[in-house]
Amino acid sequence: MSSLVQYHPRSFREFRYVYPVISRRAGGLSLGINLSPNGQCNFSCVYCQVIAENGRQRIDTKSESDLIDCDCNCIESELSQLIGMIKSGDLFKDEWFSRAPAEKRILKDIAFSGDGEPTLSPAFDETINRVVSVRKRLCNESTKIVLITNATMLHVKHVQDSLETMLKNNGEIWAKLDAGTPEYFKKIARSAIKYEKILTNLKELTKKFPVVIQSCFLSMHGKIPDESEIRQYAQRLIDLQSNNNNNNNTSNNIIRVQMYTVARSTPESWALPISNEQLDSIAETVRKLTGLQVDTFYSA
């Protein structure tokens, strides 16, 4: 089973935008939607599989004119076809997916993920509407719509409007927070975006919507995050919870924390997974300090 979740190609047969994977964080079959087939992203993370595979740095998107649009009709058609293949069982005749055990053959979610930041795409809003329509027609009520985001565009109104639509249709937002300090964020994300902007966006997001925090912990140059960094990271989560309470929000909008380490190839030879024991230790510290549910996902 470990090899199934370690292999995450973002292409499948002749499909341009939609691809199936067995996802460790979704807990089974997920259909990914790649709105960044050319890799457009405003992060260049040290652990990024996309950079590792393509042998290039991410696009530093500076204006809307730099962004590549997507064919929404094609996305809707591909998504419908793949759901049909799941229902008929044809997908599991594929050599790779035939290895999936029965309990992993249930469609868990339709995820906006892919080769870059989905919310940068000019097609994001329209694709949300198309996915909502397909889900209503072809999927079970339990099937989620998931946005996996680096949180850089969450302040933009049209993105927030689309999130409203998504969340009304069993949607979840999985937002990244990989650091507790600006210094560590700069090392891991290698982005021109300021760390403070990420925190501000997350604070505004958690006032309005339930959020899953995604965090990658790894070894860089033979060193894992020290105790001070982990405590600062935990404090950022505490701040988000306090932020909700101060705004008369009686519920905790952080649903859970998904804490994981590197599971696939990285662009840097010095960016490596940490051990299960190291990840467990970090998770336990964060649980004790924050009171949050923390789920761990190992390298294998």
Side-chain angles (χ1 to χ4, degrees):
M1 182 61 196
S2 61
S3 61
L4 279 171
V5 299
Q6 287 176 312
Y7 181 63
H8 266 224
R10 289 161 307 285
S11 62
F12 181 72
R13 298 183 183 176
E14 74 282 3
F15 292 84
R16 293 168 59 191
Y17 301 105
V18 187
Y19 57 97
V21 295
I22 303 297
S23 168
R24 56 181 178 160
R25 278 167 275 172
L29 183 62
S30 173
L31 292 181
I33 297 179
N34 188 2
L35 296 183
S36 310
N38 68 333
Q40 56 194 26
C41 192
N42 46 16
F43 276 19
S44 184
C45 297
V46 299
Y47 57 80
C48 179
Q49 179 192 10
V50 177
I51 301 173
E53 290 177 347
N54 295 340
R56 59 175 171 77
Q57 294 295 305
R58 296 294 192 92
I59 294 171
D60 183 14
T61 306
K62 300 182 184 302
S63 68
E64 289 190 4
S65 61
D66 297 325
L67 299 171
I68 305 300
D69 211 341
C70 299
D71 184 339
C72 292
N73 289 328
C74 183
I75 292 171
E76 183 173 358
S77 174
E78 290 182 0
L79 181 60
S80 300
Q81 287 181 63
L82 274 169
I83 292 171
M85 291 176 66
I86 294 168
K87 288 183 173 182
S88 69
D90 285 349
L91 177 65
F92 306 107
K93 295 176 184 176
D94 178 88
E95 180 181 359
W96 183 255
F97 289 97
S98 67
R99 307 177 192 181
E103 69 273 13
K104 300 297 182 182
R105 298 186 178 196
I106 299 168
L107 180 59
K108 294 289 187 177
D109 65 37
I110 301 165
F112 286 82
S113 180
D115 289 344
E117 172 53 38
T119 57
L120 286 171
S121 172
F124 178 69
D125 302 341
E126 177 61 23
T127 307
I128 287 284
N129 292 330
R130 300 290 185 105
V131 169
V132 165
S133 176
V134 171
R135 177 186 173 276
K136 285 181 178 178
R137 289 188 286 108
L138 301 178
C139 297
N140 296 328
E141 279 298 311
S142 61
T143 304
K144 293 179 180 178
I145 302 174
V146 173
L147 169 65
I148 301 173
T149 177
N150 62 18
T152 58
M153 297 290 288
L154 298 179
H155 62 289
V156 180
K157 186 179 185 305
H158 74 84
V159 172
Q160 293 181 2
D161 290 344
S162 291
L163 296 182
E164 292 269 14
T165 299
M166 190 184 82
L167 290 167
K168 290 175 182 176
N169 292 273
N170 202 25
E172 275 191 0
I173 304 164
W174 295 3
K176 290 183 62 59
L177 181 64
D178 286 341
T181 60
E183 296 77 18
Y184 193 77
F185 170 79
K186 189 173 182 179
K187 289 179 182 178
I188 196 168
R190 300 188 296 193
S191 173
I193 307 295
K194 299 295 185 184
Y195 179 64
E196 291 75 13
K197 182 62 178 176
I198 304 298
L199 294 180
T200 298
N201 281 355
L202 288 175
K203 286 178 181 178
E204 292 303 312
L205 182 71
T206 55
K207 287 179 186 178
K208 301 176 182 178
F209 306 120
V211 179
V212 174
I213 297 293
Q214 284 198 320
S215 303
C216 182
F217 290 94
L218 69 158
S219 168
M220 293 192 288
H221 299 290
K223 296 181 179 179
I224 67 171
D226 60 25
E227 182 180 353
S228 174
E229 174 63 30
I230 299 304
R231 287 185 172 274
Q232 287 294 319
Y233 164 82
Q235 185 60 52
R236 302 293 79 78
L237 297 176
I238 292 168
D239 292 344
L240 291 177
Q241 296 176 86
S242 299
N243 173 68
N244 291 341
N245 294 334
N246 290 338
N247 285 277
N248 298 317
N249 187 339
T250 56
S251 63
N252 180 10
N253 271 358
I254 300 179
I255 303 172
R256 62 186 177 279
V257 177
Q258 293 182 339
M259 191 175 289
Y260 60 102
T261 191
V262 175
R264 295 179 283 278
S265 56
T266 69
E268 309 294 350
S269 61
W270 43 261
L272 298 169
I274 60 176
S275 69
N276 296 357
E277 293 76 17
Q278 288 170 324
L279 188 62
D280 285 340
S281 177
I282 294 171
E284 186 58 27
T285 297
V286 173
R287 287 190 195 102
K288 288 179 178 178
L289 291 174
T290 67
L292 289 167
Q293 176 183 333
V294 181
D295 299 331
T296 52
F297 301 89
Y298 305 124
S299 62

